[in-house]
């Protein structure tokens, strides 16, 4: 059975699911695997992982490499950073990349508009995200982080919320030693903000992507009590 605890600090809900009530996680020498690293949350997560003294390796998997800019530009030359460009539709052919990692981060996410269709959206947000987690579990990853969304619900009438809810259920079913699911509210992506997000930020509270990344790093390094 899964054991769950949830923490809430507006506007982000963090839930942890344990396959064992005595699950203990590594806190140093961490080797992290991340998908969705070129997105707003993902790039912040990569930067913070590289800066952490507790992390020895950060491996990215995706269609392109991440080039960090501004104050993070120096991190592009970090010996900790290992980037792999693959055909994401053939992720199963790259199982070797997944080996030797302790923790995984799924920051993958798109929209129906960006993907081009409902089917394409689900192929990314559900299909690729689930394949990543399945391969990570098979390779021995113990702890998986999933960036979801406030309002995620597998029974929702809305495509986005329904898909996010289905991904959450899939991740819990895969059965990592620990699964941490983050449901942030409206994201502040800074210069990467979508037009609708810029408009909405004047109306509803937002959470900066750096804070979402920081929550995941805190959970990884120090444990769930320091999550938010």
């Amino acid at each position: 059975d899964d054991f769950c605890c949830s923490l809430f600090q507006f506007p982000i809900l963090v839930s942890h699911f344990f396959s064992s009530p005595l699950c203990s996680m590594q806190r140093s020498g961490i080797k992290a695997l991340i998908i969705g690293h070129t997105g707003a949350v993902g790039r912040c997560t990569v930067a913070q992982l590289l800066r952490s003294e507790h992390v020895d390796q950060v491996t990215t998997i995706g269609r392109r490499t991440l080039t960090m800019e501004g104050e993070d530009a120096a991190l592009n030359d970090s010996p900790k950073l290992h980037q792999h460009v693959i055909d994401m539709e053939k992720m199963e052919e790259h199982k070797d990349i997944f080996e030797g990692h302790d923790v995984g981060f799924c920051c993958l996410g798109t929209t129906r508009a960006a993907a081009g269709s409902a089917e394409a959206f689900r192929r990314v947000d559900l299909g690729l995200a689930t394949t990543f987690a399945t391969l990570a579990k098979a390779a021995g990853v113990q702890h998986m982080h999933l960036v979801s969304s406030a309002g995620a619900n597998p029974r929702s009438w809305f495509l986005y919320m329904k898909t996010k809810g289905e991904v959450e259920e899939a991740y819990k079913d895969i059965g990592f030693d620990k699964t941490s699911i983050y449901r942030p509210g409206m994201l502040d992506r800074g210069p990467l903000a979508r037009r609708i997000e810029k408009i909405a930020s004047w109306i509803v509270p937002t959470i900066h992507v750096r804070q979402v990344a920081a929550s995941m790093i805190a959970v990884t390094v120090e444990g769930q009590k320091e999550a938010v």
Side-chain angles (χ1 to χ4, degrees), residues 144-158:
M144 179 60 70
H145 299 267
L146 171 66
V147 180
S148 183
S149 172
N153 185 338
R155 293 174 294 280
S156 175
W157 288 90
F158 298 98

Side-chain angles (χ1 to χ4, degrees), residues 5 7 14 16 18 23-27 30 143 145 178 180 182 214-228:
C5 73
L7 301 171
V14 185
H16 306 288
F18 302 87
C23 175
S24 61
M25 304 305 299
Q26 182 178 355
R27 302 300 177 206
I30 295 169
H143 185 188
H145 299 267
K178 182 177 180 180
S180 299
Y182 305 79
S215 293
M216 292 193 287
I217 306 307
V219 170
T220 300
V221 173
E222 301 177 31
Q224 59 156 62
K225 292 183 180 180
E226 290 75 25
V228 290

